[in-house]
Amino acid sequence: MSARPSGPAVNPTKEQRTVSNNEPYSAKKMYRTHFEDYSRRWSEYFTMRREDGIIEVRMHSGGGPAKWGLELHRAFIPAFADIGHDPENEVVIFSGTGDRFLGSMDPEGWERYGFTKEYTFELGYEYWYKDQVHEPFALLNLEIPVIGAINGPFFIHQELALLNDIVICSESTTMADGHYTGMGIVPGDGVQTIFRELMGVNRAKYFLLTGQEMNAEELLNLGLVGEVVPDERLLDRAWEIARTVFKPRHPSARRMARALLVQPWRELLVRELPAGLANESWATHGYWGMAQENYDVENLKAE
């Protein structure tokens, strides 16, 4: 029997609570969120299902593989805050949709906010620095265990997978970084910290500066993931881990183990992320590829 629920994702009905409520929250009631609210509120970014306290969250774009864009970037912050404020959530499984985890950019979104023009301070701060100093903490601030299930290629924002408590990937997974050799910008949004810690200094620099692509077995051998799973078994295996590693433990043990194990990441990113992003944003004023004619925004290539 599959460990993963086989039914459809849970969706609210018209009779269930609405997304917005104009009445003030009661001063005699502890604040919390509700699955039927936020699963609908964030449905254009994430597909969610929950069973037995385990919530599966899969990012997507139009129901298919997620394309990285500014809206999705920002949505992570309030969406995972909503997940964290729901006491009925005990374990999170985080993954992508289809055959890619994050395989391309969203060119329409970048153009919509003016990123195909000359880079300005407003772009760097309002949509870039301001979001990314918070986005990794959208996951790290959760007080419940998180399983990262990488369902295929990804080339940017590896923190979404690699900062989690247990990380597994599919056999088709490949990983590269799109900053220096793709966008032609400074790799300073946290990857400089994450890969240094996971790979070691020299290997991390080689990976970030050369555009090296690693396959699933290389990720396993380097210790970036704990298991490589056949593609069709990935989410089933994530649910098995949720049920066998985390659910049998008392909630206090789960939460305190989580707090202990993510603390080093929190300290490192608090110290290094703002300065890294400042370097990344400042350097884009010297070169910004998206402003060039015929630049392939979706695949980060100058044609």
Side-chain angles (χ1 to χ4, degrees), residues 183-205:
M183 298 177 76
I185 64 175
V186 175
D189 70 343
V191 290
Q192 78 281 12
T193 300
I194 292 165
F195 288 115
R196 182 195 72 218
E197 293 297 306
L198 293 176
M199 294 182 178
V201 175
N202 282 351
R203 185 178 282 128
K205 288 189 292 186

Side-chain angles (χ1 to χ4, degrees), residues 146-163:
V146 184
I147 301 165
I150 310 169
N151 59 300
F154 66 129
F155 75 118
I156 204 164
H157 284 282
Q158 295 88 350
E159 75 276 2
L160 299 174
L162 300 181
L163 292 181

Side-chain angles (χ1 to χ4, degrees), residues 282-301:
W282 182 83
T284 54
H285 293 280
Y287 171 78
W288 181 238
M290 288 189 188
Q292 294 184 339
E293 188 176 358
N294 298 323
Y295 185 86
D296 181 357
V297 175
E298 186 167 9
N299 298 298
L300 299 180
K301 293 179 180 178

